[in-house]
Amino acid sequence: MTNIPIHIAGETHHHEPPSDWKTYFTFSTDHKVIGIQYLVTSFFFFLIGGIFAMILRGELITPESDLIDRTVYNGMFTMHGTVMLFLWTFPSLVGLANYLVPLMIGARDMAFPRLNAVAFWMVPVVGILLMSSFFVPGGPAQSGWWAYPPVSTQNPTGNLINGQVLWLLAVAISGVSSIMGAVNFVTTIVKMRAPGMGFFRMPLFVWAVFSAQIIQLFGLPALTAGAVMLLFDITVGTAFFDPSKGGNPVMFQHYFWFYSHPAVYVIILPIFGIFSEIFPVYSRKPLFGYKVVAVSSMLIAVVSGIVWVHHMYVSGTPGWMRLIFMLTTMFVSIPTGIKVFAWVATIWGGKIRLTTPMLFALGGLLMFVFAGITGIMLSSVPVDVHVNNTYFVVGHFHYVLYGTVTMGLYAAIYHWFPKMTGRMFSEGWGQIHFWLAFIGTNLNFLPMHPLGLQGMLRRVASYAPEYQFWNIIASLGAFLLGMSTLPFIFNMLISWMQGEKAPDNPWRAIGLEWMISSPPPVENFEEIPIIISGPYGYGKSEPLTANLERQITLQNAE
């Protein structure tokens, strides 16, 4: 059971959900259609980014650079990181939030449906710009997904339109799209909650999305402005960051990391919300410490704005500043630890059902704990200076981005798949997918930690022979990870087309989205629901209706 008991007044529906696949190729303003558009589009780019990763790992099997040209390697390296961040993690989570938030808060749609649609259709534009950079002279950008000057300001081809220019245009457009989405989400959550749903009656996924989108509103303009200023440096000859003309390249790092470290929390907070929704359902227990978990999301959002300089310990940062940002970075582990404690307390003693969503959530939690331990290590100035620019950082980062975020996304897709499609997926194929992904993730990214501690630099196509053993293991894990997507794709396509019909609430969860038909009707609710009781686990609750009593009886019967 999830964390909000509710009562729906006048529970009737109208307007059938779209059944024609062509709907998903139109300029729809239905938040559910837009959510699926985001999810499918971002997964397509996830596959492209994954192919880039497998090529890179193929190159790294041997110490010599003997598979692809170094220039091609640098371009693919840059595009892999860019695609996975700007075209997979951000859009997929926005898509999931698009689908779920209005349902969870009792709204018929997002606050600004047309703005919502425009924000989505900017994502394919970003993808087209990035992919087209392979066909311009010099190929795609080669400065990494962080685009530090003066490397990013170099233009050896002399062409006005080059890979770096297209990269900056894509990032700027992505930033505008995300800012539009953030305005929409914050307005929707603040203004469109059903009557009776106070802030402390919101599901924790909504709390997580709200906190993440506040970070977007305050942090993303810095990255967007930095990208535009760097674009001006390259195209019209300004000197914001060009040291040869009196600019300051370190200033770009401040613009970049002021947003790009909080961006980690933008993508991890919704995953925390997913964990908070899934663990109670498959443990058959209310979430432990609802209020504290909710407040911890906002605390993470606040602290995330004062940690960015820990990426710049070796950029000439003065000692006093290193100390301050080391402490703030360590402090962010406190509200995060609160969440982990609450999840473990929720699972402890529960009637755990190891279904596919629960397996992915548990796997994501295990790998997040490991990533958190290495993250605390990296927050320490002496450790960070020692392993800076090594594979230790790459391993930590990928345990967050793949081990936690992607595994959490898989958990969410499996959990809400019956609600989105009205069909059940194959549990057998889902479990095969989990074990391939879990084993592949650890084989791929765990060896990067000893590689980094031994001194292997990242961003290189060739390396000393003593590093080969761990690189072979990592590459085998990468290939296994790539293969793990095949049962997922097969499962989703076959199940969506001809899977068993799903009941409205197959997991017997409590939440507004589970109280309506699967898939939901166009406008969600004919009558806006009235919320009469708060989350389980604290305070007084008003008497529950017969509908909720029936739900609880079903749960207790298990």
Side-chain angles (χ1 to χ4, degrees):
M1 108 191 170
T2 54
N3 40 330
I4 59 163
I6 51 91
H7 164 50
I8 297 180
E11 186 180 359
T12 55
H13 314 303
H14 69 304
H15 300 312
E16 291 298 316
S19 57
D20 188 352
W21 61 270
K22 297 177 183 177
T23 303
Y24 298 100
F25 292 88
T26 63
F27 190 85
S28 174
T29 56
D30 183 349
H31 73 96
K32 298 179 294 297
V33 172
I34 294 172
I36 292 175
Q37 286 175 325
Y38 266 112
L39 286 168
V40 174
T41 303
S42 61
F43 187 77
F44 170 76
F45 285 111
F46 171 67
L47 295 179
I48 293 176
I51 291 171
F52 291 158
M54 293 173 72
I55 294 172
L56 298 177
R57 289 309 320 176
E59 174 65 86
L60 292 170
I61 288 178
T62 59
E64 300 81 15
S65 179
D66 52 10
L67 180 62
I68 55 177
D69 182 80
R70 288 178 184 269
T71 301
V72 177
Y73 181 92
N74 290 338
M76 281 198 173
F77 171 84
T78 299
M79 293 299 291
H80 163 71
T82 305
V83 167
M84 289 303 200
L85 284 167
F86 295 108
L87 291 174
W88 163 238
T89 52
F90 287 114
S92 60
L93 289 165
V94 168
L96 188 68
N98 243 299
Y99 196 99
L100 293 175
V101 166
L103 294 173
M104 286 182 163
I105 66 172
R108 290 198 172 100
D109 209 315
M110 297 286 283
F112 308 112
R114 289 184 179 83
L115 188 70
N116 199 20
V118 171
F120 162 71
W121 284 105
M122 295 172 83
V123 173
V125 173
V126 172
I128 291 169
L129 281 173
L130 289 174
M131 295 303 109
S132 64
S133 67
F134 281 95
F135 305 100
V136 299
Q142 300 179 37
S143 57
W145 70 273
W146 50 90
Y148 280 0
V151 176
S152 58
T153 57
Q154 297 173 5
N155 185 8
T157 65
N159 295 300
L160 181 61
I161 301 300
N162 56 56
Q164 191 66 60
V165 168
L166 293 176
W167 188 94
L168 289 166
L169 284 171
V171 170
I173 293 171
S174 175
V176 172
S177 170
S178 295
I179 291 170
M180 291 162 62
V183 170
N184 213 348
F185 277 114
V186 171
T187 306
T188 300
I189 294 169
V190 171
K191 291 293 187 180
M192 299 186 67
R193 301 189 310 279
M197 182 176 281
F199 275 100
F200 285 108
R201 288 182 177 177
M202 294 194 310
L204 285 168
F205 180 75
V206 178
W207 268 102
V209 171
F210 184 57
S211 305
Q213 296 304 317
I214 287 175
I215 296 174
Q216 292 283 66
L217 282 179
F218 285 94
L220 192 49
L223 175 63
T224 307
V228 172
M229 293 162 71
L230 185 57
L231 182 64
F232 286 167
D233 275 8
I234 297 172
T235 56
V236 299
T238 56
F240 294 111
F241 311 120
D242 188 346
S244 65
K245 300 177 182 177
N248 185 354
V250 176
M251 184 58 65
F252 178 81
Q253 296 185 32
H254 284 284
Y255 277 103
F256 183 85
W257 289 116
F258 182 77
Y259 168 71
S260 293
H261 186 82
V264 175
Y265 305 112
V266 171
I267 55 183
I268 203 73
L269 277 167
I271 301 301
F272 292 165
I274 291 166
F275 290 167
S276 297
E277 297 296 325
I278 286 179
F279 288 139
V281 172
Y282 299 98
S283 300
R284 314 313 298 165
K285 285 177 62 183
L287 185 81
F288 182 88
Y290 165 85
K291 270 192 172 181
V292 179
V293 174
V295 172
S296 69
S297 292
M298 291 302 297
L299 188 57
I300 289 172
V302 172
V303 179
S304 72
I306 51 174
V307 299
W308 80 93
V309 176
H310 83 246
H311 290 276
M312 302 168 57
Y313 286 158
V314 295
S315 298
T317 306
W320 63 267
M321 188 178 288
R322 285 178 171 182
L323 179 61
I324 290 173
F325 282 90
M326 179 177 72
L327 294 175
T328 57
T329 306
M330 290 180 174
F331 181 75
V332 81
S333 65
I334 296 174
T336 307
I338 289 171
K339 291 181 180 293
V340 174
F341 177 83
W343 298 326
V344 173
T346 301
I347 297 167
W348 189 267
K351 297 180 180 179
I352 299 174
R353 296 179 292 172
L354 292 177
T355 58
T356 301
M358 186 62 161
L359 284 174
F360 272 102
L362 287 171
L365 175 58
L366 285 172
M367 287 187 276
F368 173 70
V369 170
F370 181 76
I373 293 169
T374 58
I376 293 173
M377 294 168 64
L378 288 170
S379 68
S380 172
V381 174
V383 176
D384 186 85
V385 169
H386 176 71
V387 300
N388 179 71
N389 207 31
T390 71
Y391 261 86
F392 189 90
V393 179
V394 180
H396 160 74
F397 186 62
H398 281 82
Y399 262 90
V400 175
L401 266 292
Y402 200 103
T404 307
V405 174
T406 300
M407 296 288 277
L409 273 165
Y410 280 138
I413 291 169
Y414 280 112
H415 180 65
W416 281 287
F417 181 84
K419 180 56 58 181
M420 294 179 179
T421 65
R423 303 279 183 173
M424 298 300 293
F425 58 84
S426 166
E427 182 65 29
W429 281 109
Q431 299 221 5
I432 291 171
H433 174 211
F434 166 75
W435 287 111
L436 289 176
F438 184 77
I439 295 170
T441 300
N442 287 285
L443 281 179
N444 191 355
F445 305 125
L446 189 61
M448 295 179 180
H449 295 80
L451 281 173
L453 292 174
Q454 292 169 19
M456 180 175 170
L457 297 178
R458 56 179 172 170
R459 314 169 194 161
V460 294
S462 59
Y463 53 85
E466 58 262 31
Y467 302 134
Q468 185 174 14
F469 171 76
W470 287 118
N471 273 298
I472 291 174
I473 301 298
S475 294
L476 291 175
F479 301 148
L480 182 61
L481 205 52
M483 290 176 55
S484 73
T485 60
L486 298 179
F488 173 73
I489 296 170
F490 175 80
N491 197 357
M492 294 296 100
L493 290 178
I494 298 301
S495 299
W496 200 337
M497 290 187 293
Q498 56 188 41
E500 177 188 348
K501 290 278 188 179
D504 293 345
N505 190 359
W507 316 127
R508 293 179 176 175
I510 292 180
L512 280 174
E513 76 272 25
W514 298 108
M515 299 294 174
I516 57 178
S517 60
S518 298
V522 172
E523 293 186 353
N524 303 338
F525 309 96
E526 183 172 325
E527 297 181 21
I528 297 298
I530 299 172
I531 312 303
I532 65 169
S533 55
Y536 290 113
Y538 77 91
K540 288 186 176 181
S541 293
E542 299 178 35
L544 301 180
T545 64
N547 184 48
L548 274 178
E549 289 172 349
R550 177 178 60 83
Q551 293 287 333
I552 295 172
T553 301
L554 287 172
Q555 291 165 4
N556 290 338
E558 292 192 348

